[in-house]
Amino acid sequence: MRNLMWLAAAALLGVTACQPAETPEQIQARMEQDSEELRAAVASATQRWEAWTAAGQTDSFATLFTEQGRELPPNAPPVAGREAIAAFHAQQAAMGSSTVDITSESVMAYGPLGIDRGTFTSTLQPGPDAPPGIPTADTGKYLVHWHKVDGNWLIADLIWNSDLPLPQPER
Amino acid sequence: MRNLMWLAAAALLGVTACQPAETPEQIQARMEQDSEELRAAVASATQRWEAWTAAGQTDSFATLFTEQGRELPPNAPPVAGREAIAAFHAQQAAMGSSTVDITSESVMAYGPLGIDRGTFTSTLQPGPDAPPGIPTADTGKYLVHWHKVDGNWLIADLIWNSDLPLPQPER
């Protein structure tokens, strides 16, 4: 009886204290499980991103982001919040018809935090409003900070850059 | 007695199952605690990064990265692994004397995963080996994927890009 009481007390203590006391094996197991879940969300988001780009469906991108989510494009200031993200994509689409091909290479998640790294190639067929000399093809890499909000994986931060050298400036 | 046995059994089950069963409050508390810890590591790393840049101490940067860590510079291919990272920084230093000023704006961590977003400004005083037209000042944003390895926070992925518009290409 006394043993059982100790066991019950120790186990109850364990329940309240267990959270930070993970073993390396538990951390590894949870990382694999949570990453698997995020991997499915990333695959779905990537497919939609590519389809929306090809269709010029610019008002859809913001739905993948958190309320305060940020898109951090190269050679432009940060774009913060869903409204600004929608406007940014509308502005991009006004340059012409685009395609993008995204390849996620590494996905990791733990609890509500996730990270996704990958590569992309993109093309632009410039429209009449595009500035002269705008790049028509790009290839590069990206990093996404995913955040789980009310059970849904959303983009908190998305940043990318080009592998291609800077154009030589005019002299 | 029977009650105690049930309590012991239920609590033991709880111990094995408790890991994924965090309440939103527990998640929040752990996020704050783990982020606080990473924030200190980021502050220290940032300070060292700035000092090594000013001193041209190019062989030190790689010590902040995981074995397979990646630096993803704009307008260049990815740089993977400590050896390649050291070579990349040596190559950068050969362009001239640099300074960088890094401001971390948001740090989040949960378990072994962490994310740090911020901004930077940098300057370059081009040396004799710098290509003509190399940019001498930059300002932009970055995202870092931090990973806790054997109790130490290290950089798994670092990506950044410029806020400045692309130079106009030669016609």
Side-chain angles (χ1 to χ4, degrees):
Chain A
M1 176 66 176
R2 193 187 262 195
N3 282 349
L4 259 186
M5 283 184 69
W6 274 112
L7 182 59
L12 279 171
L13 266 177
V15 167
T16 49
C18 74
Q19 213 189 331
E22 297 148 310
T23 65
E25 291 73 24
Q26 283 175 322
I27 291 177
Q28 184 61 28
R30 182 173 185 180
M31 179 84 86
E32 280 169 22
Q33 182 181 319
D34 292 356
S35 300
E36 196 55 37
E37 183 193 285
L38 176 55
R39 209 166 279 123
V42 167
S44 159
T46 298
Q47 207 168 28
R48 284 180 285 165
W49 191 284
E50 291 174 347
W52 293 335
T53 301
Q57 196 174 325
T58 60
D59 51 350
S60 295
F61 295 95
T63 62
L64 293 178
F65 288 78
T66 64
E67 274 297 338
Q68 297 306 315
R70 279 164 191 257
E71 204 167 342
L72 305 172
N75 308 110
V79 181
R82 287 189 183 148
E83 204 173 324
I85 287 168
F88 171 74
H89 282 276
Q91 190 187 5
Q92 292 297 106
M95 298 294 109
S97 307
S98 293
T99 66
V100 66
D101 187 356
I102 302 164
T103 305
S104 173
E105 293 185 343
S106 167
V107 173
M108 286 189 192
Y110 202 84
L113 276 195
I115 291 157
D116 158 33
R117 173 174 51 75
T119 58
F120 69 89
T121 58
S122 63
T123 66
L124 171 69
Q125 197 157 4
D129 293 339
I134 190 170
T136 56
D138 199 4
T139 180
K141 54 261 178 224
Y142 73 85
L143 201 64
V144 177
H145 161 202
W146 291 89
H147 213 96
K148 204 173 187 177
V149 182
D150 299 333
N152 298 311
W153 283 106
L154 295 172
I155 299 175
D157 299 287
L158 161 58
I159 185 169
W160 70 98
N161 66 36
S162 177
D163 289 352
L164 307 181
L166 275 181
Q168 282 301 302
E170 289 184 282
R171 310 276 159 82
Chain B
M1 176 69 176
R2 191 187 264 195
N3 282 348
L4 259 188
M5 282 185 69
W6 274 113
L7 182 58
L12 279 173
L13 266 176
V15 167
T16 49
C18 74
Q19 215 188 332
E22 296 149 311
T23 65
E25 291 73 23
Q26 283 175 321
I27 290 177
Q28 183 62 28
R30 182 173 185 179
M31 180 84 86
E32 281 170 22
Q33 182 181 319
D34 292 357
S35 300
E36 196 56 35
E37 182 192 285
L38 175 56
R39 208 166 281 124
V42 167
S44 159
T46 298
Q47 207 169 27
R48 283 180 285 166
W49 191 285
E50 291 174 348
W52 293 335
T53 302
Q57 196 173 326
T58 59
D59 52 349
S60 295
F61 295 95
T63 62
L64 294 178
F65 288 78
T66 64
E67 273 298 338
Q68 297 305 315
R70 279 164 190 258
E71 203 165 344
L72 305 171
N75 308 109
V79 181
R82 287 190 183 149
E83 204 173 324
I85 287 168
F88 171 74
H89 282 276
Q91 190 187 6
Q92 292 299 104
M95 299 294 108
S97 307
S98 293
T99 66
V100 65
D101 187 356
I102 302 164
T103 305
S104 173
E105 293 185 342
S106 168
V107 174
M108 287 190 192
Y110 202 83
L113 276 194
I115 291 157
D116 159 32
R117 172 174 52 73
T119 58
F120 69 89
T121 58
S122 62
T123 65
L124 171 69
Q125 197 158 3
D129 293 339
I134 191 171
T136 55
D138 199 4
T139 180
K141 53 259 179 225
Y142 73 85
L143 201 64
V144 176
H145 161 201
W146 290 89
H147 212 95
K148 204 175 188 175
V149 182
D150 298 333
N152 297 313
W153 284 107
L154 295 172
I155 299 175
D157 299 287
L158 161 58
I159 185 170
W160 71 98
N161 66 36
S162 176
D163 289 352
L164 307 181
L166 276 180
Q168 284 300 301
E170 288 183 283
R171 308 276 159 80

